[in-house]
């Protein structure tokens, strides 16, 4: 497998790095501390074409592919993880619409997501249905020409600010996995209320609940056929997990960079601390975790770019990258000591943000379940 970047991919990475360093980094600490939602950055990333990598030109995209998308995700994750979430909330729904919606729905919903005009989100998780997606309680009951949606979605990135969203609910609960359906809805309408939720990190990315009470969805809001929702949701997660994995590589890299820089400056016992083997041990492990995770992300992205199934490779990459982010952030904090723990320096933000990658978009245990069931021959991940 060849990971040599094309000119376009290298240019996309440079553009994302430049944007992240010039436009995101200067206020990253402040945005995190003040929980600032940066609508302006969503617009700028739309102007720069960051949301279009997976989308053909006819719907406003550049079609640069999954590897380019992963490179952009890593650059954003490295500088400020919360801003990487914005990217995923635009690209994830746009790509799922591309794969599963009809022509009219694609024309209506994809371009505003790609431009960054419509803030997107996806709503799967519920208070009693996290890892166990099929346990969701939301229902969309047929009513004349449309549906009436009732249910509570929780831990939804962008819930407080989203204009539109991909929402999952049962149209026929008796059919379990085959009775769930997917909808694309406008959220600034009667029948939706929102409740922000606080978390330990990723503060500049608002998270919350979406509460649907007799929310009317027209027939044209359904994506795919009735009963295809679980499959659409799983397909959606395969792609958004890849962006997540790439973002986690960015966090791992930022932590490694911070640790190396500090180890080259800080002197104790008459020498730079980088001279101590215990610090070198940590740095070496950080480099290995980061590089291995990046290779796994590139492999999963390259498979998608060549049209091959990559559920297994995405789960491996997501698990490895989340662990790499958490390991590297923890190691960086140990190396920087009080400066790592201090809220005046960026490492503690990396440490808080790294944890999210072990939880969101399918926890570490869910990725391991998918990987182990495949290895044991119980259920092939790529089918
Ligand atoms: O055999 P069948 O016809 O009944 O079909 C089964 C299977 O083939 C059925 O679903 C099919 N299926 C799939 N089809 C296409 C399963 N996986 C796939 C797939 N990838 N593609 C039932 O399958 P099953 O394996 O028996 O289902 P299950 O045990 O109920 O669930 C499987 C599993 C645990 C893997 C799944 O529920 C899962 O992935 N859970 C994790 C949920 C998750 O990732 N949630 C994240 C929510 S979003 C989020 O975190 C937002 C963060 C945003 C941000 O900050 O970035």
């Amino acid at each position: 497998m060849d990971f040599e970047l094309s000119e376009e991919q290298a240019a996309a990475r440079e553009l994302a790095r430049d944007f992240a360093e010039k436009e995101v980094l200067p206020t990253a600490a402040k945005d995190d501390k003040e929980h600032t939602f940066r609508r302006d950055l969503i617009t700028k990333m739309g102007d720069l074409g960051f949301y279009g990598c997976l989308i053909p030109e006819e719907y406003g995209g550049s079609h640069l592919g999954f590897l380019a998308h992963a490179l952009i995700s890593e650059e954003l994750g490295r500088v400020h993880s919360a801003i990487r979430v914005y990217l995923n909330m635009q690209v994830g729904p746009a790509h799922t619409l591309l794969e599963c919606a009809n022509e009219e729905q694609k024309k209506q919903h994809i371009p505003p997501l790609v431009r960054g005009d419509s803030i997107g989100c996806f709503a799967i998780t519920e208070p009693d249905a996290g890892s166990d997606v099929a346990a969701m309680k939301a229902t969309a009951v047929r009513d004349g020409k449309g549906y009436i949606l009732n249910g509570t979605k929780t831990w939804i990135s962008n819930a407080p600010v989203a204009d539109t969203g991909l929402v999952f609910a049962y149209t026929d609960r008796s059919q379990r996995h085959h009775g769930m359906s997917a909808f694309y809805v406008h959220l600034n309408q009667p029948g939706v209320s929102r409740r922000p939720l606080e978390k330990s990190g990723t503060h500049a990315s608002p998270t919350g609940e979406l509460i649907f009470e007799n929310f009317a969805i027209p027939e044209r809001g359904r994506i795919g056929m009735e009963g295809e929702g679980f499959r659409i949701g799983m397909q959606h997660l395969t792609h958004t997990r890849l962006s997540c994995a790439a973002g986690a590589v960015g966090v791992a890299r930022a932590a490694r960079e911070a640790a190396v820089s500090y180890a080259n400056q800080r002197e104790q016992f008459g020498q730079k601390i980088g001279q101590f083997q215990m610090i070198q041990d940590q740095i070496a492990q950080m480099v290995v975790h980061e590089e291995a995770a990046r290779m796994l992300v590139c492999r999963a992205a390259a498979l998608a770019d060549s049209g091959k199934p990559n559920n297994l490779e995405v789960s491996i990459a997501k698990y490895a990258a989340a662990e790499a982010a958490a390991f590297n952030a923890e190691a960086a904090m140990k190396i920087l000591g009080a400066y790592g723990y201090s809220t005046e320096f960026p490492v503690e933000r990396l440490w808080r943000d790294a944890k999210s990658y072990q939880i969101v978009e399918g926890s570490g245990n869910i990725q391991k379940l998918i990987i182990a069931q495949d290895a044991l021959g119980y259920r092939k991940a790529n089918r």
Side-chain angles (χ1 to χ4, degrees):
M1 201 168 276
D2 182 9
F3 299 137
E4 193 68 44
L5 299 186
S6 69
E7 251 175 56
E8 288 89 355
Q9 288 163 337
R13 183 175 62 178
E14 286 312 306
L15 187 65
R17 185 173 304 175
D18 200 54
F19 168 79
E21 289 180 352
K22 291 199 181 120
E23 311 254 3
V24 180
L25 185 60
T27 54
K30 185 169 179 283
D31 292 340
D32 179 65
K33 198 168 276 181
E34 296 175 3
H35 299 210
T36 311
F37 170 61
R38 295 292 304 274
R39 178 74 176 89
D40 59 318
L41 292 181
I42 294 194
T43 304
K44 280 185 186 166
M45 290 196 284
D47 293 345
L48 291 170
F50 288 179
Y51 310 132
C53 288
L54 310 184
I55 305 298
E57 284 167 21
E58 60 182 303
Y59 305 112
S62 60
H63 222 206
L64 283 180
F66 282 91
L67 188 51
H69 175 55
L71 295 168
I72 295 171
S73 300
E74 178 184 330
E75 294 302 329
L76 294 174
R78 168 182 173 242
V79 166
H80 193 180
S81 207
I83 311 303
R84 198 281 314 164
V85 181
Y86 300 171
L87 179 80
N88 213 18
M89 294 306 117
Q90 301 300 115
V91 179
H95 183 258
T96 296
L97 288 164
L98 180 73
E99 286 200 317
C100 306
N102 64 33
E103 194 51 37
E104 191 193 332
Q105 293 167 328
K106 288 185 209 185
K107 284 203 181 107
Q108 187 191 352
H109 297 301
I110 298 177
L113 285 168
V114 172
R115 287 194 302 269
D117 293 346
S118 169
I119 299 179
C121 72
F122 51 91
I124 302 173
T125 305
E126 296 184 3
D128 295 321
S131 293
D132 185 3
V133 173
M136 75 171 53
K137 294 197 175 87
T139 54
V141 176
R142 274 241 173 235
D143 176 59
K145 287 196 170 150
Y147 299 86
I148 298 294
L149 175 65
N150 279 288
T152 298
K153 299 292 176 180
T154 195
W155 299 118
I156 308 305
S157 296
N158 274 358
V161 295
D163 299 306
T164 54
L166 186 61
V167 181
F168 296 82
Y170 276 111
T171 40
D172 182 357
R173 198 197 296 277
S174 69
Q175 300 293 315
R176 289 282 288 175
H177 298 90
H178 300 284
M180 194 181 288
S181 301
F183 300 90
Y184 204 75
V185 302
H186 287 276
L187 291 164
N188 297 317
Q189 294 200 60
V192 190
S193 49
R194 313 174 192 229
R195 189 169 77 88
L197 293 169
E198 281 301 320
K199 37 194 204 308
S200 303
T202 328
H203 291 310
S205 161
T207 306
E209 280 188 348
L210 288 174
I211 301 138
F212 296 97
E213 286 168 300
N214 297 325
F215 178 78
I217 307 178
E219 174 87 24
R220 65 177 182 281
R222 196 189 67 238
I223 305 301
M225 304 295 284
E226 276 190 17
E228 287 187 336
F230 191 82
R231 182 190 55 77
I232 293 172
M234 289 300 122
Q235 212 171 311
H236 173 85
L237 286 171
T238 297
H239 299 311
T240 55
R241 280 171 188 163
L242 183 59
S243 161
C244 228
V249 172
V251 173
R253 173 169 145 218
R256 186 261 304 158
E257 288 171 343
V260 166
S261 162
Y262 187 79
N264 275 328
Q265 285 169 32
R266 174 81 168 166
E267 289 186 11
Q268 290 290 276
F269 304 103
Q271 61 179 1
K272 299 269 193 282
I273 63 167
Q275 301 283 347
F276 292 107
Q277 285 191 356
M278 275 195 264
I279 301 292
Q280 291 178 3
D281 168 73
Q282 293 289 293
I283 302 267
Q285 291 196 58
M286 292 166 92
V287 170
V288 172
H289 280 294
E290 176 195 332
E291 296 260 345
R294 183 177 295 107
M295 287 297 113
L296 290 168
V297 168
C298 287
R299 177 179 70 159
L303 280 169
D305 280 336
S306 59
K308 299 199 179 104
N310 68 348
N311 290 334
L312 175 64
E313 291 77 9
V314 164
S315 281
I316 295 173
K318 161 74 169 56
Y319 176 69
E323 292 302 304
F327 178 91
N328 283 15
E330 171 94 8
M333 192 177 268
K334 285 179 195 156
I335 291 171
L336 272 81
Y339 296 104
Y341 196 52
S342 163
T343 54
E344 309 261 312
F345 296 90
V347 165
E348 66 85 34
R349 172 165 59 82
L350 297 174
W351 184 75
R352 288 185 281 109
D353 290 351
K355 297 308 288 179
S356 75
Y357 289 101
Q358 295 176 313
I359 298 163
V360 297
E361 308 251 3
S363 65
N365 280 348
I366 287 296
Q367 308 313 325
K368 286 191 281 185
L369 176 147
I370 293 168
I371 297 163
Q373 291 198 344
D374 182 90
L376 290 159
Y378 299 161
R379 195 188 271 286
K380 282 290 157 201
N382 291 340
R383 59 203 120 112

